[in-house]
Amino acid sequence: MRPLKIFIVAALLISAALGSTAFINHKLSKRPNNDNKGFAVVELFTSEGCSSCPPADELVAKIQKESKDKPVYILAYHVDYWNRLGWKDVFSSADYSKRQQDYAGYLHIQSVYTPQIVVNGKTEFVGSEEGTLRNAISKGLQKASPSQLSLNISTIDHSKANIKYEVDSIDKNIFLELAILQKNAQTKVQSGENSGRTLSHVQIVRKLQSVPLKGKEGTVNVALPNGFNTQGWEIIGFLQNTANGTITGASRAIFESEVSAGTAALNNPN
């Protein structure tokens, strides 16, 4: 009888184990999968006239390379207030200086500075702080995106692009920001704090257009900057709350082929 009892006990244990495994698997299958639901919009405010900026430019270039298959969106704005100090940054714009001033208001900062990074419109810090940047990106990727945005380019020519957008919800304070970016560039600086250095840049914002959302979908005409080509440029769009600066969703549009007959192929991975 003892062998039979042992067999029965063993069978009961195996059955219980299988039941527990099935329960665990069931619980796991019901658990929401938040992989890749989050995003990180990394906005760098920089200048070729600032000697502290090259390390930040190098850092975002490294992050860009590491994150090319992730929803990490890097935008480098070259501000213009350094231009009066010996070197005019060819990529600079007063519009980007104003955007940085707007963040100073949103984030209650007394004064602007370079290099500065803002992540998802909510967190700011010195642009060369690698650990802080990586932590901010990680937090953004782990948190589910409040809004969903998709971009599509219907037609382009050498001077403009027609961009179709679709969002899952709209709010009077949410605007669509469309940035036309040059992916890479180098400049040999002739004067100022970086005189004699050759500086490398990535994700240079060459144009930023703010679009009020009148519906969940629409089409926007965007003028393309001088020097545009489909190989070295891309479009990043993001949804921003103009009441507090928070970014609630983002997407990217990457050109795949040269302009032909007024149209271009598009890869939109997010």
Side-chain angles (χ1 to χ4, degrees):
M1 294 296 291
R2 182 172 297 174
L4 179 59
K5 289 182 179 179
I6 293 173
F7 175 79
I8 292 172
V9 171
L12 290 173
L13 289 173
I14 291 172
S15 177
L18 289 174
S20 298
T21 301
F23 175 77
I24 292 170
N25 287 338
H26 174 72
K27 295 293 285 184
L28 289 175
S29 66
K30 294 296 185 181
R31 185 180 300 167
N33 181 9
N34 291 325
D35 291 346
N36 299 324
K37 291 287 183 67
F39 68 95
V41 173
V42 178
E43 298 179 85
L44 169 66
F45 295 92
T46 185
S47 172
E48 292 182 341
C50 164
S51 61
S52 300
C53 287
D57 295 332
E58 294 168 6
L59 174 58
V60 296
K62 180 165 66 172
I63 297 295
Q64 171 73 7
K65 185 176 181 180
E66 294 175 0
S67 307
K68 62 180 181 179
D69 296 323
K70 298 178 181 179
V72 176
Y73 308 98
I74 294 176
L75 303 96
Y77 302 94
H78 289 236
V79 298
D80 72 337
Y81 50 82
W82 279 92
N83 291 353
R84 64 183 182 274
L85 300 177
W87 175 255
K88 184 176 180 180
D89 188 333
V90 68
F91 300 115
S92 65
S93 170
D95 292 340
Y96 309 149
S97 298
K98 181 182 181 304
R99 180 165 180 80
Q100 189 181 27
Q101 288 285 356
D102 289 342
Y103 270 130
Y106 290 138
L107 302 174
H108 308 292
I109 303 168
Q110 291 186 350
S111 61
V112 297
Y113 62 92
T114 55
Q116 181 189 33
I117 281 178
V118 180
V119 177
N120 286 354
K122 297 185 293 185
T123 304
E124 72 86 23
F125 46 89
V126 175
S128 54
E129 294 180 354
E130 182 170 354
T132 307
L133 175 57
R134 290 186 181 277
N135 287 337
I137 290 173
S138 179
K139 289 180 181 179
L141 294 178
Q142 291 172 10
K143 185 177 180 180
S145 173
S147 305
Q148 298 298 318
L149 168 68
S150 64
L151 299 176
N152 197 352
I153 300 176
S154 55
T155 61
I156 66 172
D157 58 30
H158 290 287
S159 62
K160 64 181 179 179
N162 294 323
I163 303 170
K164 293 183 178 180
Y165 67 85
E166 184 174 348
V167 297
D168 59 350
S169 62
I170 59 173
D171 182 275
K172 65 178 182 179
N173 292 323
I174 301 294
F175 278 62
L176 170 62
E177 302 290 341
L178 290 173
I180 312 297
L181 292 94
Q182 184 176 347
K183 294 181 182 180
N184 297 278
Q186 282 191 335
T187 301
K188 187 173 182 179
V189 179
Q190 303 292 339
S191 59
E193 291 189 0
N194 290 312
S195 179
R197 301 184 63 176
T198 298
L199 303 181
S200 297
H201 310 299
V202 300
Q203 299 298 100
I204 311 157
V205 178
R206 299 296 303 275
K207 183 178 180 62
L208 183 68
Q209 183 167 327
S210 184
V211 181
L213 298 176
K214 298 180 179 179
K216 291 186 177 181
E217 56 184 66
T219 301
V220 183
N221 292 322
V222 177
L224 297 173
N226 292 334
F228 168 83
N229 68 78
T230 57
Q231 298 302 312
W233 298 65
E234 69 177 10
I235 296 173
I236 288 178
F238 53 95
L239 302 171
Q240 187 160 36
N241 189 321
T242 57
N244 56 28
T246 300
I247 295 173
T248 60
S251 188
R252 171 186 287 115
I254 301 174
F255 300 99
E256 287 189 329
S257 63
E258 295 185 359
V259 178
S260 175
T263 62
L266 172 71
N267 174 31
N268 183 5
N270 298 306

